[in-house]
Amino acid sequence: MLFAITRDVSPAIGNCELTHMARETIDLHRARLQHRQYEQRLKEAGCQLIQLTADPDLPDSVFVEDTAIVLDEIGIITRPGVESRRAETDSVAQALTPYRRLVYIRAPGTLDGGDVLRVGNSLYVGRSARSNTDGIDQLRRLVSPNGYSVVPVDLRDCLHLKSAVTQVAEDMLLVNRHWVDARVFSSMRLVEVHESEPFAANALRIVDTVIYPDAFIRTRDRLEAQDLNVCTVDASELAKAEGGVTCCSLIFPV
Ligand code: GLY
């Protein structure tokens, strides 16, 4: 069985962190409707939801992905790279406690889950403004006893590694080559985002379904040309908060 942790959109979402985007007004009502549609897609893809309540003091807390990395053997509770997001981890750790032994990234390390792309037993980790060398080294020490390797990856012009690359099939990644050097993923087949859609590399694969923003029609054509089962959502409001479809859930088998 697959579980998905989600969290309702904070009424303070308008005060979210932004790194590479200009601030735009976010319609909270619309963001919540879109988030419910996203949760429905998770259910249709086979997930049982664990829904956490919104927190008015934590603007970015809908982006639960950044607070933990859930492997089959352990859960790693992160230490997000911006101070405003650190308290988000408490409720996620509580929700994960029945399902995984938890270990923690400690100061001075920082790590955002959005920087961690798992492909088999490899954890590719973005060296970003959010995830520092100490955090990446701690992650390596925590996961290596379970047979995982940690591969640091440089980024440019984007927030997280998974802004630039995500997995869409067992042997296939979706990538924006302007934001990450794709040579590090040479063992995989690569689909490139369309030139006109730089934010299109963030897709959420659940078994044989790819949940994907409906805004990126040209890149979607490329995914469908690979015979992938693409299921779209309107994610336009949270996109203004620099969030993509992977950011809004933590998915793990039980
Ligand atoms: N607004 C998403 C983030 O900066 O973490």
Side-chain angles (χ1 to χ4, degrees), residues 16-19 60 63 66 85 112 130 159-160 241-243:
C16 66
E17 298 285 341
L18 291 172
T19 56
D60 280 294
F63 301 128
D66 293 315
R85 300 200 57 188
D112 277 15
R130 300 290 178 83
L159 174 57
H160 287 131
E242 225 166 345

Side-chain angles (χ1 to χ4, degrees), residues 17-84:
E17 298 285 341
L18 291 172
T19 56
H20 292 89
M21 297 181 73
R23 196 167 295 280
E24 288 181 67
T25 303
I26 297 173
D27 181 330
L28 176 63
H29 177 67
R30 204 155 166 249
R32 284 185 160 163
L33 287 178
Q34 291 177 357
H35 192 251
R36 269 175 226 137
Q37 185 197 21
Y38 170 84
E39 290 179 320
Q40 185 58 32
R41 293 281 183 274
L42 297 180
K43 284 201 251 179
E44 288 161 7
C47 297
Q48 184 168 319
L49 298 186
I50 301 171
Q51 293 168 294
L52 308 182
T53 51
D55 189 324
D57 296 324
L58 297 173
D60 280 294
S61 51
V62 63
F63 301 128
V64 288
E65 172 182 59
D66 293 315
T67 61
I69 296 131
V70 190
L71 303 176
D72 295 346
E73 303 84 358
I74 54 171
I76 300 105
I77 303 300
T78 66
R79 182 168 180 269
V82 284
E83 178 66 42
S84 72

Side-chain angles (χ1 to χ4, degrees), residues 79-104:
R79 182 168 180 269
V82 284
E83 178 66 42
S84 72
R85 300 200 57 188
R86 300 241 164 101
E88 291 176 28
T89 57
D90 296 346
S91 54
V92 172
Q94 215 176 335
L96 280 172
T97 295
Y99 306 107
R100 292 292 188 277
R101 179 175 70 84
L102 299 182
V103 294
Y104 292 79

